[in-house]
Structures are given as structure tokens and as C-alpha cells.
Amino acid sequence: MRYYEDIDVGEIHEFGEYHVTKAEIIEFAEQYDPQPFHTDEAAAGDSAFGELVASGWHTAAMCMRLLVDGPLHNRASMGARGVDELRWKRPVRPGDTLSVRSEVIDKRVSESDPERGYVDSLLEGITQDGDVVISWIGLGMIARRNPPEE
Amino acid sequence: MRYYEDIDVGEIHEFGEYHVTKAEIIEFAEQYDPQPFHTDEAAAGDSAFGELVASGWHTAAMCMRLLVDGPLHNRASMGARGVDELRWKRPVRPGDTLSVRSEVIDKRVSESDPERGYVDSLLEGITQDGDVVISWIGLGMIARRNPPEE
């Protein structure tokens, strides 16, 4: 298990493969983002997108799945405080395959809780063609190692 | 249908009711955020949260559904550029009922595409007890009215 002390600013990971299907785009959107350009191929053709595209929240969620299976799987995560500067740079379409690139850009101990570390990462979701479709700064929390027990 | 010209900076909407169930928290998390504090009640009890809580991305998605059924339903939306300053302020638990408060904080015409308006809104997800669980600034895009046709 990796704790706060084990994370280095500057460390970079590239990982994962998430295959995006039309059925999943529509299923997510019907539950959480039922705008016509996410749920209806014909209506999407007449929209600003010109085709069916994934909800931006769905794109973020698919990248989150890759993060959990990737660098978070052995990290003593305590959740996240939030997200800064999330940008949807290009629509995600049926048939795309997403991977994620993460880079640790800052770390520091919480001032209010010295058991808790803050780790900030730049995250990018990238298609099979190398296009960045989403980026954000994740504001993570991670447990510190218990110093006396090492 | 409301276009860019119909939106006023300062307009506030409060709307929606989303009933959060344990089954839906687990279903979303198993697909998109399978960390134990989102998928497993026993493991969640031993986590920093002390109980099963919704994925932060799920909380955002549930609020998005209220937005689509609420102020976005008659808006000439062209999607969103992104999100700034998203903060998860308090965990969402099974049995919570969420509503959303939106406030338009800025609007301007896109410099690169004069057909397109930018509308920025402060969004808050709020429980039945009035606790803000999530907030973010949504960077929306909305079509302009075609001036000659009015």
C-alpha cells in the first residue's frame, strides 16, 4: 500500500483501456444527462455535435474507473476534496477507447489534520488516436504512514 | 426555448428532488468508482468515511439529472466547456434527497464563434437538511437567437 510519503511530485502514470459503446453512452445519459445529443442518434445529428456523443460526466466517470483500477488501487486513498479546471476538450464517441495519463503536481500535509496528506494530480483522458478529450486537476487525500509503527 | 439573450446574470433557480438509494450508490460505484467506501457497507464502516457514501462523480451526475430536468430543459444548450472549482463538501448517503440551486454569474458571447454564448453558473447540490454536499461553477454554452428572424 502506498501512503503519502511514498508519492513523488512529478511521477507520471499512463494506464488503462476503456472501450466506449453506444449502448453505454445512451444508458448513462438516460439516467443522468438525458439531453438529446447524448440519448438519441437522430436528434444528435441535428445538434451542435452532429453525432451521438457521451455525456461529459460519463467521460469523467469512465476515466475515474481507469484511475481506480490503476494508480489508486494500491493507494491509501481517503477520497478527494474536489476538482479544478475540468475541461471537455473533444466529444467522446461510440467506438473510442480511452486511457488516462496522471501526473502528481503537488503534495502537502493537511494543516487541519496531520494524519492526512493532500496530493494534487493533473489527469487527462486520451483516445486511441492520442487526442485529449478531458482534463482536470484532481485534489486527492491520502493517509500518512503511522511513523512509530514502521 | 430560452436563448443566450434570454438569460440574465443573477437569475437563481432552486429545483428538483433526487432520492438517493443504497442500491444506486453501489450500482454506480461498481461500474465507475469501485473503491470499498462506495461499494461495500462493511468496508465503508472501517474507512475514513465510517459508512457507505456515494461516489463524488455520482453526486455530480445526480445533480446533472436535476439540471437537465430543470433549467436546462428549455434552454438552447450547446453543451459545456468544463467545470471550475468543483468541491465535495459532505458525503452523500443512502436516504438523502438532493435538490439543486443554480445562479447565473457571468455571460458573454464567444470571441471565436459569434453564434455561441457562454453562460457561467454557480451550482450547488443540497440535501433535505439544507447541507450543501457539492458545488461547482458550470461553464455552459448556449445558442444565440438569430437576430434577423425576430
Side-chain angles (χ1 to χ4, degrees):
Chain A
M1 189 62 76
R2 300 186 78 206
Y3 291 86
Y4 174 77
E5 288 74 8
D6 307 317
I7 307 290
D8 294 317
V9 172
E11 72 178 59
I12 291 171
H13 300 272
E14 296 181 346
F15 50 91
E17 272 193 8
Y18 199 111
H19 301 288
V20 183
T21 66
K22 187 195 302 180
E24 191 183 324
I25 286 175
I26 293 172
E27 185 185 13
F28 183 99
E30 285 181 340
Q31 179 70 29
Y32 296 114
D33 191 354
Q35 301 185 83
F37 39 74
H38 299 317
T39 59
D40 181 325
E41 268 194 305
D46 294 330
S47 76
F49 295 105
E51 62 186 327
L52 189 77
V53 299
S55 166
W57 296 107
H58 188 197
T59 300
M62 292 187 281
C63 292
M64 185 66 199
R65 175 56 187 259
L66 296 182
L67 277 163
V68 173
D69 291 344
L72 291 185
H73 88 278
N74 65 343
R75 195 177 285 190
S77 176
M78 304 172 79
R81 291 122 59 212
V83 162
D84 278 340
E85 297 175 34
L86 187 153
R87 293 296 178 272
W88 290 297
K89 294 168 179 277
R90 214 214 67 185
V92 171
R93 305 176 180 96
D96 280 345
T97 297
L98 301 180
S99 61
V100 169
R101 179 185 186 277
S102 70
E103 177 177 353
V104 176
I105 58 174
D106 191 21
K107 63 177 271 190
R108 59 203 178 280
V109 174
S110 163
E111 290 183 15
S112 58
D113 179 359
E115 304 281 301
R116 198 174 284 242
Y118 289 167
V119 173
D120 300 342
S121 301
L122 173 62
L123 302 160
E124 293 178 316
I126 303 169
T127 67
Q128 66 285 353
D129 300 317
D131 294 325
V132 176
V133 291
I134 189 173
S135 66
W136 76 84
I137 296 172
L139 309 177
M141 295 185 291
I142 178 170
R144 300 191 71 190
R145 238 177 237 291
N146 291 321
E149 292 175 21
E150 283 189 293
Chain B
M1 187 64 74
R2 300 186 78 208
Y3 291 86
Y4 175 77
E5 287 75 7
D6 307 317
I7 307 290
D8 294 317
V9 173
E11 71 178 58
I12 291 171
H13 301 272
E14 297 181 345
F15 49 92
E17 271 194 8
Y18 198 111
H19 300 287
V20 184
T21 67
K22 187 195 304 181
E24 190 183 324
I25 286 176
I26 293 172
E27 184 185 14
F28 182 99
E30 285 181 341
Q31 179 70 28
Y32 297 113
D33 190 354
Q35 301 185 82
F37 38 75
H38 299 318
T39 59
D40 181 324
E41 268 195 304
D46 294 330
S47 76
F49 295 104
E51 62 185 327
L52 190 76
V53 298
S55 166
W57 296 107
H58 188 197
T59 300
M62 291 187 283
C63 291
M64 186 66 200
R65 175 58 188 258
L66 297 183
L67 277 162
V68 173
D69 291 346
L72 291 185
H73 88 278
N74 65 343
R75 195 177 286 191
S77 176
M78 304 172 79
R81 292 121 60 211
V83 162
D84 278 340
E85 298 174 33
L86 187 155
R87 293 295 178 274
W88 290 297
K89 293 167 179 278
R90 213 213 70 184
V92 171
R93 306 177 180 96
D96 280 344
T97 297
L98 302 180
S99 61
V100 170
R101 179 185 185 276
S102 70
E103 178 177 352
V104 176
I105 58 174
D106 191 22
K107 62 177 269 190
R108 59 203 178 280
V109 174
S110 163
E111 290 183 15
S112 58
D113 178 0
E115 304 281 299
R116 196 174 285 243
Y118 289 168
V119 173
D120 300 343
S121 301
L122 172 63
L123 303 160
E124 292 178 315
I126 302 168
T127 68
Q128 65 285 353
D129 299 317
D131 294 325
V132 176
V133 292
I134 189 173
S135 66
W136 76 84
I137 296 171
L139 309 177
M141 295 185 291
I142 178 169
R144 299 190 72 189
R145 239 178 237 289
N146 291 320
E149 292 175 22
E150 281 189 291

